Amino acid sequence: MRRPRRTAAGILLAVGALLTTGLQAATANAAQAPAPAAPAPAPAAPAPAPAAVHTAAASATAQQKVSAFWTAERMRKATPLDLFDVAPGALSAPKPGGEISTVAPTSPSADRPAARTQAFPQAGGAWTGGGSVVTTSGRVFFSYQGRTASCSGDAVTSQNASTVITAGHCVKLEGNWHTNWVFVPGYHDGQTPYGTWTAAKTMSTPQWTASEDINYDVGVAVVNPLNGKKLTEVVGAQGLQFNGGYNKAMYAFGFPAAAPYDGSKLIYCSGNTSKDFLFSNDHGMGCNMTGGSSGGPWFASFNEATGTGLQASVNSFGYTFLPNRMFGPYFGAEVKSLYEQAQTA
């Protein structure tokens, strides 16, 4: 990156005199000086701001109305909400940090389909491996700008046993909260084997709510009980990982509904991820999922044998000039704060 010659004895004497003089001065000063004060503690990092909360179908009447709205036909015709296309210069990257923290998956009460080994890496294909991911992953449906639309989501371990994680733009977009919001776990071929779960509340990170910053494109929903049971009591729940770092082997899941997909099946991608080298601090993965997959989970430490893992991101956006590559936000302190707020709501 970036004299006159002295005898050895003379040099040693000069050095010895300097050391003696310095030692005497230091001893005198030490005897007179007061004891040093203890260093002040480092200031604590400011706590993340609380998330804005949107009240959805909280009453029994509202729940019935939303459930009745989502007929099988409406679900089939719902327009997939596009993955974001991000242009250069549109982002401001956060600075990830903090200690790694995890939340363990929760075993469901019912048996899950048997698991089988899948291809790794995979740029996009139907998940036929079974396991808990088949029931914890699902489609998200809502009304947006006068039309019906769809995304993806995932049930996670939580104190209220009712928390779903999705993308921020799947709960709020262009300044407006989506309405008629429901989560359909285990959706396949037009079937809703575990029911349609209405949202009591939806929320997102303060950064997404305020300015739709793609680095914080994470949303959550707290869903109402259905038939006297809570969501994860029925379908199980995935774990979570916060501040887990970059360059990991990960699996991404979702229900892409734009060509060449049709939203009828759970699709996955897998591979070694990398940190976005362009304009964000997001994870990147080779993946050809299309619109409708937004909000689907990314897992670290994914176990193909059980179909469980630690959710560490969601399907979020792609660059217009970089096809077949998906990006998902880093789960740092802000997302952890959002999750903690949601799981006690």
Side-chain angles (χ1 to χ4, degrees):
M1 287 211 169
R2 344 185 143 174
R3 318 165 153 81
R5 185 177 179 183
R6 297 183 180 179
T7 64
I11 293 174
L12 289 174
L13 286 173
V15 172
L18 289 172
L19 287 175
T20 300
T21 303
L23 181 59
Q24 290 172 342
T27 302
N29 290 337
Q32 299 173 7
V53 179
H54 170 67
T55 300
S59 69
T61 301
Q63 293 169 40
Q64 292 170 1
K65 183 178 179 181
V66 172
S67 294
F69 177 83
W70 285 109
T71 63
E73 184 67 12
R74 277 204 173 106
M75 288 182 183
R76 279 193 293 270
K77 290 184 175 180
T79 303
L81 197 65
D82 290 340
L83 286 165
F84 269 179
D85 286 329
V86 175
L91 306 176
S92 58
K95 295 181 179 179
E99 295 183 1
I100 296 176
S101 62
T102 60
V103 178
T106 305
S107 299
S109 56
D111 291 335
R112 298 283 78 93
R116 294 183 297 276
T117 301
Q118 300 289 283
F120 183 97
Q122 168 63 266
W127 176 259
T128 59
S132 291
V133 70
V134 172
T135 61
T136 63
S137 296
R139 292 190 75 178
V140 168
F141 296 97
F142 49 88
S143 296
Y144 161 67
Q145 291 187 346
R147 62 185 174 94
T148 57
S150 72
C151 277
S152 301
D154 180 53
V156 295
T157 298
S158 59
Q159 292 182 33
N160 57 22
S162 303
T163 300
V164 175
I165 293 186
T166 184
H169 67 271
C170 296
V171 297
K172 185 177 187 288
L173 186 60
E174 296 177 354
N176 296 306
W177 294 94
H178 303 323
T179 59
N180 296 319
W181 203 101
V182 297
F183 176 61
V184 184
Y187 182 97
H188 66 88
D189 302 305
Q191 304 300 308
T192 59
Y194 302 99
T196 299
W197 300 73
T198 60
K201 299 176 181 178
T202 54
M203 56 188 80
S204 185
T205 58
Q207 294 85 352
W208 178 262
T209 301
S211 61
E212 298 188 352
D213 186 335
I214 201 74
N215 282 290
Y216 303 95
D217 183 22
V218 183
V220 296
V222 178
V223 297
N224 294 296
L226 182 63
N227 299 324
K229 292 188 176 182
K230 294 184 176 181
L231 175 65
T232 62
E233 294 171 349
V234 177
V235 303
Q238 297 290 348
L240 294 123
Q241 182 183 79
F242 303 102
N243 292 308
Y246 293 95
N247 306 313
K248 309 288 185 181
M250 298 178 77
Y251 288 69
F253 291 83
F255 289 84
Y261 301 107
D262 61 6
S264 65
K265 293 179 176 60
L266 179 63
I267 305 298
Y268 86 105
C269 296
S270 62
N272 294 314
T273 62
S274 60
K275 183 177 178 180
D276 180 13
F277 57 88
L278 295 170
F279 306 104
S280 78
N281 263 8
D282 287 14
H283 302 284
M285 179 192 298
C287 184
N288 68 3
M289 280 198 268
T290 58
S293 66
S294 290
W298 289 38
F299 296 112
S301 302
F302 186 74
N303 185 336
E304 287 190 350
T306 62
T308 58
L310 303 177
Q311 185 169 349
S313 188
V314 296
N315 299 324
S316 176
F317 79 94
Y319 290 112
T320 54
F321 52 87
L322 198 62
N324 297 322
R325 192 159 187 84
M326 178 92 75
F327 292 87
Y330 185 89
F331 276 20
E334 296 82 5
V335 178
K336 183 179 180 182
S337 177
L338 173 67
Y339 161 74
E340 290 175 343
Q341 184 177 340
Q343 73 163 337
T344 57

